[in-house]
């Protein structure tokens, strides 16, 4: 059985009504589910009503095609500068004072990103609710901090992108 999933139900309706998928749906070869790749613990198949979970796993291995998934999940950005670890914060804003229609696709042409960095500590991930990653993530940050703290002060610091959402999705 092939299962097509997404985070929201809007694609499910499109897929279910698509004529090219109809033969696979009717023969039970294709099913659908809404699934949160980072925080979801179960996959409830819509057509067959089968629940996939740790206590009710599939009989066969799962093969995932995650087209455009990992680049949409949470990433944390850090910077090492002068031997200090800084957390990156990003704000997205419009060049206009106000947007008359926030659903207008043209709004994207008015958006820009602004990054600021503020000092943080090596125990940055200790406040996370998913604790199994904390020790490893903090060790990675410490390694980067140690590795880039010895750079010549005239050189710019290092930026680190921590793919937190992808790490959690892969483990699930």
């Amino acid at each position: 059985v092939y299962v097509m999933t997404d985070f929201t139900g809007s694609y499910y309706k499109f897929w279910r009504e698509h004529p090219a998928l109809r033969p696979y749906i009717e023969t039970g070869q294709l099913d659908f589910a809404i699934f949160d790749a980072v925080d979801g613990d179960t996959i409830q198949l819509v057509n067959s009503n089968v629940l996939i979970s740790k206590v009710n796993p599939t009989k066969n291995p799962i093969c995932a095609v995650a087209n455009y998934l990992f680049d949409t999940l949470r990433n944390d950005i850090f910077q090492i500068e002068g031997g200090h670890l800084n957390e990156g914060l990003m704000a997205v804003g419009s060049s206009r004072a106000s947007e008359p229609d926030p659903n207008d696709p043209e709004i994207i042409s008015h958006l820009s990103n602004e990054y600021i960095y503020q000092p943080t500590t090596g125990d940055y991930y200790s406040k996370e609710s998913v604790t199994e990653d904390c020790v490893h993530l903090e060790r990675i940050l410490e390694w980067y901090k140690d590795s880039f703290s010895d750079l010549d002060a005239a050189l710019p610091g290092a930026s680190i992108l921590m793919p937190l959402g992808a790490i959690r999705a892969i483990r699930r």
Side-chain angles (χ1 to χ4, degrees):
V1 172
Y2 294 92
V3 179
M4 294 175 69
T5 67
D6 198 71
F7 184 70
T8 66
S10 58
Y11 284 112
Y12 161 73
K13 185 177 187 291
F14 172 77
W15 294 334
R16 190 173 181 134
E17 295 173 359
H18 198 286
L21 300 177
R22 173 98 16 234
Y24 304 104
I25 296 168
E26 291 172 355
T27 60
Q29 294 176 291
L30 179 62
D31 212 327
F32 306 98
I34 296 172
F35 180 61
D36 180 344
V38 176
D39 294 318
D41 289 330
T42 62
I43 300 175
Q44 179 72 52
L45 302 184
V46 175
N47 296 336
S48 63
N49 203 31
V50 170
L51 179 68
I52 301 170
S53 67
K54 288 181 182 179
V55 295
N56 188 35
T58 62
K59 291 181 177 78
N60 295 316
I62 293 177
C63 174
V65 177
N67 193 30
Y68 298 110
L69 172 66
F70 296 125
D71 62 344
T72 63
L73 299 179
R74 175 181 167 185
N75 285 278
D76 291 340
I77 189 166
F78 298 93
Q79 190 178 64
I80 310 295
E81 186 127 14
H84 300 287
L85 178 66
N86 299 307
E87 167 191 29
L89 301 173
M90 185 179 97
V92 178
S94 174
S95 58
R96 295 178 174 178
S98 67
E99 291 291 343
D101 181 4
N103 295 321
D104 182 0
E106 286 299 312
I107 195 173
I108 202 160
S109 65
H110 310 134
L111 297 181
S112 62
N113 301 327
E114 181 181 327
Y115 290 91
I116 61 167
Y117 291 92
Q118 65 184 24
T120 190
T121 59
D123 65 347
Y124 180 85
Y125 288 105
S126 64
K127 63 185 177 239
E128 290 288 323
S129 60
V130 180
T131 57
E132 58 259 60
D133 292 330
C134 293
V135 171
H136 305 293
L137 296 171
E138 288 172 1
R139 285 180 184 164
I140 292 168
L141 286 177
E142 189 66 28
W143 183 88
Y144 275 107
K145 183 177 176 225
D146 291 346
S147 298
F148 289 96
S149 290
D150 296 333
L151 291 179
D152 183 341
L155 296 173
S159 294
I160 302 118
L161 191 63
M162 190 75 77
L164 191 61
I167 291 168
R168 290 182 177 163
I170 288 170
R171 183 174 348 86
R172 294 195 165 285

